[in-house]
C-alpha cells in the first residue's frame, strides 16, 4: 500500500470525524450542547473505542457517518455498545444507513451481552428517504422491535440531549432509564406546530414535551440533569450498579459507612402515626454514604425509588414518603413502583421495601384514574420479583398498602418491623369509626361519646400490638433501630444464594 | 403570582400563615388531613401571602388553590 493511499484514508477519516458543517457546530455551542464525539469521550473511561460504519453514506458527501456514531467502548471497565446521533448532520435525522447502523449495534450488544447506551439528539426520520428507512424489515420499526427483545437481557440506557420526536420518541420509551438534559431534551409525538395545525392547540415545546415536564408529570423521564456533563456522569453512575447482562450478578464495591452527618434512626421516626417525617433521612442513615442513585425523583414523590449500596452491594429501595401526600399510594406512585421493581428483578438487584403507608388513595379522582388497575400493577410486579426481598415496616402498613409493600403473604424473605410499627386493615381512628359508627352516633353525651371512642381505640391498639403479630409469626422479627443496618447486611448476604422460579407458564396477563 | 395548591383531596386542619406574612421557599403554610395523615403544604417559592383561600374544616380537592402569594 502506498503512502498516498494511507494519506487519503487518514484525510477522509478526519473529515468524517469532524461531523457536519461548521455552522451547525456553532449552533451546538449556542445551545450549550457538545459535539457527539466529545460526548463519547466523556462517556468512555479512556481512548479505547471501536467504531463501525464510519464511512456510512460517504459517497453522499454531506452526510458524515450518516448522522450517527455507533461504537464500542468501556464504562467503569465494562464493555458497552453505543449509538449516538450527530445533530450537526441533518439535525441527526435518520436515513437508511443510519437505521442500519443502529440495528447493527443492537445486534452486537445482544451477541456480546453487554449494555447498550443510546445518546439521542435527532429530528426523526428523513422524509425524503422514507421508502428506504421506514416500512421494511430492516426499517426503523426494527430498532424498536430489537429494543423490546433486548429489554431485560442487557441494560439499555438513554440520554436525551435534544429532541426525540414522533417515532424516535419510542427509543427512550423502551429503555430501562431515560436521563434528560434540562431545557434541551424534549420528547413528543407531534410538535407544537403540528399540535396547532391538527388540533388547534397553542403550546410551547417545553410545556408540551420538555425535560422537566417528562421527569415530573408524565413519568417518561427518570433523571433530570442540569447539563450534558451531569447527564453523562449520571449514566456512568447508574451503570455501576448493573451487571453486563441478566446472566450475571451486580458488581460489588468496597462497603462504606453511612453518612456520618446522618440522623440517628431512632430519632427520625415520630411515635405519632399521623405526623409526617422525611424518609430521605431514614435512607441516608441506612445506606453506604453517597451511594443512593434515585430514579424518578421528581415524579410521584410520595414514593421514593432508587438503588443504593449496603456494605458495597446494590439494593433497590422502594420507600413511602410520609412528607409528601402522607405517603399514600396513588396511580403514579404505583406505576413508578411497578416499573422500578421490574427493573431491579431483571438484573438481580435485591429489593428493600421501607413501609410507612396509610394505604391506597380513595375518592372519585383516583377511582376514575383507575387506581385499582394501577395498584394491581405494583402488586403484580412485586409478587413476581424473585430477587431477595425484605419488607421492613418502618412505622405502619395499613390496608392494601401492606400488600403492595411486600407484606407477609407475598413471600418476602423476611417481613421485619421496627418497634412501634403497626400493621392493620386500617388505623385505629378509621377502624373504630367503621365498626362502631352507629353506636357512636347514638351516644348523646359528648364526653361519654369521646370516652367510648378512646376505649375502643385502645382495645383496637391492643389487637394490633406488634408483639401479638410477632407471636403469631406474622412478622419475622422486630429489630432495634441501632441494629437495623447490620441486620439487613447480614440478611442480604445470606439470601444471595436464593434461587426461585416464580411459576411455570408462558407469561402472565399483565394488569396494565 | 404564585399559588399553593392542595396535593391531594382532604380537609384543612391548620392555617399557619395569614395575609401579609412573608414566607420562605419550602415553608409549611397549610396542613391538611387526608387518609388520617397530616399533609403539610409548602410554598414553592418565597413571597408575601396575598390571600388565604381556605378555612379550617374546608374540604379541598387535589389541585385546588389554597393560598396565593405575590
Amino acid at each position: 500500500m502506498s503512502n498516498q493511499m494511507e494519506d487519503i484514508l487518514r484525510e477522509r477519516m478526519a473529515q468524517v470525524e469532524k461531523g457536519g458543517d461548521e455552522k451547525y457546530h456553532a449552533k451546538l455551542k449556542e445551545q450549550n450542547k457538545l459535539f457527539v464525539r466529545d460526548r463519547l469521550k466523556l462517556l468512555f473511561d479512556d481512548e479505547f473505542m471501536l467504531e463501525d460504519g464510519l464511512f456510512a453514506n460517504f459517497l453522499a458527501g454531506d452526510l458524515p457517518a450518516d448522522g450517527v456514531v455507533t461504537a464500542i467502548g468501556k464504562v467503569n471497565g465494562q464493555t458497552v455498545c453505543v449509538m449516538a446521533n450527530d445533530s450537526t448532520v441533518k439535525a441527526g435525522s435518520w436515513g437508511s444507513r443510519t437505521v442500519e447502523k443502529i440495528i447493527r449495534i443492537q445486534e452486537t450488544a445482544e451477541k456480546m451481552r453487554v449494555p447498550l447506551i443510546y445518546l439521542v439528539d435527532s429530528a426523526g426520520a428523513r422524509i425524503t428517504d422514507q421508502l428506504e428507512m421506514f416500512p421494511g424489515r430492516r426499517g426503523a420499526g426494527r430498532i424498536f422491535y430489537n429494543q423490546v427483545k433486548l429489554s431485560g437481557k442487557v441494560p439499555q440506557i438513554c440520554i436525551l440531549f435534544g429532541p426525540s420526536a414522533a417515532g424516535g420518541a419510542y427509543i427512550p420509551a423502551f429503555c430501562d432509564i431515560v436521563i434528560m438534559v434540562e431545557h434541551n431534551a424534549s420528547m413528543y409525538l407531534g410538535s407544537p406546530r403540528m399540535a396547532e395545525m391538527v388540533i388547534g392547540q397553542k403550546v410551547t415545546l417545553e410545556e408540551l414535551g420538555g425535560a422537566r415536564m417528562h421527569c415530573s408529570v408524565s413519568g417518561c423521564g427518570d433523571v433530570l440533569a442540569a447539563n450534558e456533563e451531569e447527564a453523562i456522569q449520571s449514566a456512568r453512575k447508574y451503570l455501576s450498579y448493573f451487571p453486563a447482562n441478566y446472566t450475571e450478578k451486580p458488581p460489588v464495591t468496597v462497603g462504606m459507612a453511612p453518612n456520618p452527618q446522618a440522623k440517628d434512626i431512632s430519632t427520625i421516626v415520630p411515635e405519632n402515626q399521623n405526623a409526617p417525617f422525611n424518609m430521605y433521612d431514614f435512607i441516608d442513615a441506612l445506606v453506604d454514604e453517597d451511594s443512593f442513585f434515585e430514579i424518578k425523583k421528581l415524579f410521584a414523590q410520595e414514593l421514593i425509588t432508587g438503588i443504593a449500596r449496603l456494605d458495597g452491594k446494590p439494593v433497590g429501595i422502594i420507600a413511602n414518603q410520609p412528607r409528601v401526600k402522607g405517603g399514600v399510594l396513588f396511580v403514579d406512585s404505583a406505576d413508578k413502583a411497578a416499573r422500578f421493581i421490574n427493573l431491579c428483578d431483571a438484573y438481580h438487584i435485591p429489593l428493600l421495601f421501607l413501609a410507612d403507608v396509610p394505604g391506597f388513595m380513595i375518592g372519585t379522582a383516583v377511582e376514575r384514574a383507575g387506581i385499582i388497575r394501577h395498584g394491581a400493577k405494583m402488586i403484580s410486579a412485586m409478587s413476581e420479583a424473585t430477587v431477595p426481598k425484605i419488607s421492613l415496616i418502618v412505622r405502619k402498613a395499613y390496608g392494601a398498602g401492606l400488600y403492595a409493600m411486600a407484606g407477609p403473604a407475598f413471600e418476602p424473605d423476611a417481613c421485619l418491623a421496627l418497634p412501634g410499627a403497626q400493621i392493620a386493615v386500617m388505623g385505629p381512628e378509621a377502624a373504630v369509626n367503621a365498626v362502631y359508627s352507629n353506636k357512636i352516633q347514638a351516644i348523646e353525651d359528648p364526653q361519654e361519646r369521646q370516652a367510648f371512642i378512646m376505649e375502643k381505640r385502645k382495645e383496637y391498639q391492643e389487637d394490633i400490638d406488634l408483639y401479638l403479630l410477632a407471636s403469631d409469626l406474622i412478622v419475622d422479627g422486630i429489630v432495634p433501630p441501632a441494629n437495623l443496618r447490620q441486620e439487613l447486611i447480614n440478611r442480604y448476604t445470606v439470601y444471595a444464594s436464593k434461587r426461585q422460579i416464580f411459576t411455570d407458564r408462558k407469561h402472565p396477563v399483565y394488569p396494565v | 403570582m404564585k399559588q399553593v395548591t392542595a396535593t391531594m383531596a382532604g380537609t384543612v386542619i391548620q392555617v399557619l400563615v395569614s395575609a401579609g406574612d412573608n414566607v420562605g421557599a419550602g415553608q409549611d403554610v397549610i396542613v391538611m388531613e387526608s387518609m388520617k395523615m397530616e399533609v403539610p403544604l409548602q410554598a414553592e417559592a418565597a413571597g408575601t401571602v396575598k390571600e388565604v383561600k381556605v378555612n379550617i374544616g374546608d374540604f379541598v380537592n387535589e389541585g385546588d388553590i389554597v393560598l396565593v402569594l405575590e
Side-chain angles (χ1 to χ4, degrees):
Chain A
M1 190 172 63
S2 70
N3 284 344
Q4 196 194 357
M5 283 166 80
E6 187 172 335
D7 289 345
I8 291 171
L9 172 63
R10 288 196 183 280
E11 190 186 307
R12 287 179 172 179
M13 285 170 76
Q15 187 58 38
V16 173
E17 282 168 4
K18 272 203 268 181
D21 199 272
E22 197 47 51
K23 67 181 175 199
Y24 299 116
H25 285 268
K27 201 176 154 202
L28 283 185
K29 280 212 181 79
E30 271 170 39
Q31 297 174 310
N32 282 322
K33 283 180 170 186
L34 295 170
F35 178 49
V36 61
R37 289 179 189 276
D38 295 325
R39 288 174 183 159
L40 289 173
K41 274 184 202 145
L42 284 175
L43 177 67
F44 292 149
D45 292 344
D46 48 35
E47 298 286 298
F48 177 82
M49 173 168 138
L50 299 173
E51 182 173 357
D52 286 330
L54 179 70
F55 289 109
N57 226 349
F58 179 69
L59 298 179
D62 61 343
L63 294 166
D66 213 24
V68 68
V69 179
T70 51
I72 299 170
K74 299 267 186 189
V75 171
N76 311 322
Q78 165 67 51
T79 302
V80 298
C81 288
V82 180
M83 171 237 86
N85 299 124
D86 181 354
S87 64
T88 67
V89 178
K90 280 223 168 155
S93 61
W94 296 1
S96 70
R97 291 164 190 86
T98 324
V99 170
E100 181 62 27
K101 281 177 75 172
I102 298 171
I103 292 172
R104 288 192 192 178
I105 196 75
Q106 291 181 309
E107 290 167 345
T108 304
E110 184 178 12
K111 282 184 279 189
M112 301 301 126
R113 299 183 163 209
V114 297
L116 179 52
I117 305 166
Y118 301 83
L119 306 186
V120 175
D121 189 359
S122 165
R126 280 177 215 150
I127 311 248
T128 46
D129 294 8
Q130 64 163 308
L131 194 63
E132 293 80 34
M133 56 70 61
F134 169 67
R137 289 194 173 213
R138 286 179 79 84
R142 191 70 176 196
I143 296 172
F144 310 127
Y145 177 84
N146 285 344
Q147 279 193 285
V148 173
K149 212 168 113 192
L150 284 172
S151 177
K153 258 186 184 179
V154 297
Q156 294 186 91
I157 293 112
C158 173
I159 310 179
L160 200 54
F161 295 101
S164 162
Y170 283 99
I171 282 198
F174 291 120
C175 282
D176 306 346
I177 180 166
V178 182
I179 299 164
M180 294 188 173
V181 180
E182 185 155 29
H183 305 306
N184 280 343
S186 61
M187 228 176 125
Y188 49 85
L189 292 186
S191 65
R193 194 169 56 184
M194 251 176 92
E196 188 169 357
M197 276 170 51
V198 181
I199 62 171
Q201 182 180 44
K202 282 190 183 162
V203 65
T204 65
L205 180 61
E206 198 58 31
E207 284 173 304
L208 179 81
R212 183 165 284 273
M213 187 285 284
H214 279 306
C215 290
S216 59
V217 181
S218 79
C220 288
D222 297 289
V223 176
L224 184 66
N227 52 52
E228 296 203 356
E229 287 82 356
E230 193 183 302
I232 292 169
Q233 283 317 312
S234 256
R236 288 178 55 88
K237 184 165 184 191
Y238 171 85
L239 270 170
S240 74
Y241 298 94
F242 283 83
N245 61 62
Y246 80 103
T247 67
E248 293 172 20
K249 289 283 172 80
V252 174
T253 56
V254 178
M256 301 270 286
N259 177 2
Q261 255 90 57
K263 294 181 186 166
D264 186 344
I265 285 188
S266 56
T267 66
I268 295 168
V269 185
E271 265 180 47
N272 174 4
Q273 286 286 350
N274 308 334
F277 72 92
N278 192 350
M279 188 60 90
Y280 285 112
D281 291 341
F282 193 87
I283 295 171
D284 198 32
L286 203 59
V287 305
D288 293 11
E289 186 174 7
D290 284 333
S291 73
F292 189 54
F293 184 95
E294 192 169 0
I295 294 177
K296 287 195 163 70
K297 182 180 187 172
L298 303 175
F299 178 73
Q301 295 177 326
E302 64 277 13
L303 186 94
I304 300 168
T305 55
I307 307 173
R309 289 200 170 86
L310 275 174
D311 196 27
K313 299 187 190 90
V315 56
I317 295 175
I318 300 101
N320 308 114
Q321 168 60 300
R323 181 99 184 100
V324 179
K325 296 183 173 186
V328 175
L329 288 164
F330 280 72
V331 169
D332 281 345
S333 29
D335 178 89
K336 171 177 171 176
R339 165 84 182 184
F340 179 75
I341 293 165
N342 192 260
L343 169 73
C344 292
D345 191 49
Y347 294 104
H348 311 286
I349 296 174
L351 295 170
L352 174 61
F353 293 82
L354 301 177
D356 181 35
V357 59
F360 281 92
M361 186 59 185
I362 60 167
T364 50
V366 291
E367 297 293 0
R368 290 171 68 92
I371 184 122
I372 299 169
R373 175 163 81 76
H374 292 283
K377 246 190 322 195
M378 176 176 180
I379 294 172
S380 165
M382 176 275 301
S383 301
E384 270 192 73
T386 54
V387 287
K389 54 184 184 195
I390 294 176
S391 175
L392 175 75
I393 316 300
V394 174
R395 185 170 59 165
K396 65 175 170 299
Y398 292 157
L402 171 70
Y403 293 173
M405 296 300 283
F410 295 85
E411 236 176 286
D413 296 287
C415 178
L416 305 174
L418 291 182
Q422 289 188 354
I423 296 177
V425 170
M426 54 181 94
E429 297 92 339
V432 169
N433 204 39
V435 179
Y436 299 105
S437 173
N438 289 340
K439 260 194 178 165
I440 292 170
Q441 294 305 319
I443 304 173
E444 279 180 18
D445 178 52
Q447 265 183 332
E448 201 181 310
R449 188 192 300 154
Q450 192 54 29
F452 177 81
I453 292 172
M454 294 318 281
E455 185 201 319
K456 290 297 167 196
R457 279 189 194 169
K458 192 163 162 277
E459 278 175 23
Y460 186 83
Q461 289 280 12
E462 284 161 7
D463 278 351
I464 61 167
D465 182 75
L466 187 57
Y467 289 90
L468 183 65
L469 295 182
S471 163
D472 276 343
L473 301 179
I474 291 164
V475 294
D476 299 299
I478 306 173
V479 186
N483 298 7
L484 181 61
R485 178 177 150 90
Q486 196 55 49
E487 172 94 17
L488 292 174
I489 291 171
N490 294 348
R491 284 185 182 267
Y492 284 118
T493 306
V494 168
Y495 300 153
S497 63
K498 180 180 178 185
R499 253 216 177 156
Q500 188 190 359
I501 290 166
F502 183 60
T503 191
D504 181 22
R505 63 185 168 192
K506 188 172 177 217
H507 61 68
V509 181
Y510 299 104
V512 287
Chain B
M1 199 164 62
K2 293 156 279 189
Q3 297 161 339
V4 178
T5 54
T7 54
M8 64 196 292
T11 308
V12 176
I13 57 166
Q14 283 182 64
V15 178
L16 304 171
V17 293
S18 37
D21 288 358
N22 290 319
V23 297
Q27 185 183 330
D28 291 355
V29 289
I30 302 264
V31 182
M32 300 170 40
E33 190 196 67
S34 181
M35 302 289 285
K36 301 290 166 196
M37 286 295 294
E38 289 169 25
V39 181
L41 305 179
Q42 289 103 26
E44 264 183 41
T48 306
V49 178
K50 190 180 176 204
E51 190 189 356
V52 180
K53 289 193 165 273
V54 290
N55 294 306
I56 290 171
D58 286 359
F59 172 78
V60 288
N61 260 313
E62 179 176 342
D64 285 357
I65 298 165
V66 294
L67 195 131
V68 183
L69 294 170
E70 59 181 358

